[in-house]
Amino acid sequence: MKRIDFHAHILPELDHGSKSLEISLQQLDWAKRVQVDTIVSTSHFYGWRRDLDDFLEERQKALEIILPEAEQRGLTIIPAAEVTIFRNIADKVDLNALRIGDTSYLLLEMPQETWGNWVYTEIEKIISKAGLQPIIAHLDRYPDRDVESLLEWNLIYQVNADAFKGFWAGRKYVNWVKNNFVQVIGSDVHGGDGQDYLNFEAALKKLGPQYEQSLMKNARRILADKRI
Ligand SMILES: [Fe+2]
């Protein structure tokens, strides 16, 4: 079965992911090598210091370069963004412009520093005001206490492949998938050395065919804008 990578920084020079076209092409080659056929392209969007129109224009330019290269390799690229939450984001940014493809889903990253209840107010506004369905990026990155609070929201949650490295961590995150705490997986690929895609492959191997299939089925349904 073909694989969907739900979180990837593959557009050249759009963020600190791929620093050049050469690196982007290496990333595409690695994706293909590990049987990925669809990549959700989630360049960072830091809305408190980045103009939305500039971002969209630069993303479009980068996509125009990358799409033919992806097509040559049999890869589909879905335009999206990794949107970092900040105070009043739902009022300040037209989040609809940053949706995953044509769906109503939005990949949302929590703040890097500890956060207060304002985060949950924003999540509520993103759902009710912007009419979007947040997917929480790399749930594995946040402290346990925050993970518990986030899970209470019954959203969709994405896990990073590198979380599965090591025996104990691997078991923990395999259980997250088994218990349906997380519904989609991404490489979160940044560089071109292939390590992130090797982690992606290793995580799916650790999960086994049954859980890989359910993650990919979820990803496919989300991309078709269906509920999971
Ligand atoms: Fe990321």
Side-chain angles (χ1 to χ4, degrees), residues 113-167:
E113 67 281 5
T114 51
W115 63 77
N117 281 337
W118 65 267
V119 157
Y120 302 105
T121 308
E122 288 309 316
I123 289 177
E124 165 64 29
K125 280 197 278 182
I126 290 167
I127 298 167
S128 60
K129 227 181 119 188
L132 295 169
Q133 306 185 64
I135 298 178
I136 304 299
H138 42 56
L139 188 67
D140 48 282
R141 291 260 195 97
Y142 311 122
D144 288 346
R145 201 190 52 174
D146 295 321
V147 167
E148 267 179 48
S149 306
L150 285 165
L151 285 172
E152 283 172 18
W153 280 75
N154 253 329
L155 304 168
I156 295 170
Y157 306 89
Q158 178 256 316
V159 67
N160 268 4
D162 68 357
F164 291 78
K165 282 194 292 187
F167 181 73

Side-chain angles (χ1 to χ4, degrees), residues 24-44:
S24 294
L25 298 182
Q26 285 167 4
Q27 291 173 325
L28 297 185
D29 287 338
W30 273 105
K32 194 173 159 60
R33 247 172 252 161
V34 301
Q35 274 94 52
V36 166
D37 78 341
T38 301
I39 304 175
V40 182
S41 165
T42 54
S43 303
H44 282 289

Side-chain angles (χ1 to χ4, degrees), residues 7 9 42 44 82 109 138 141 160 188 190:
H7 182 152
H9 300 268
T42 54
H44 282 289
E82 178 176 9
E109 182 187 42
H138 42 56
R141 291 260 195 97
N160 268 4
D188 203 357
H190 276 74

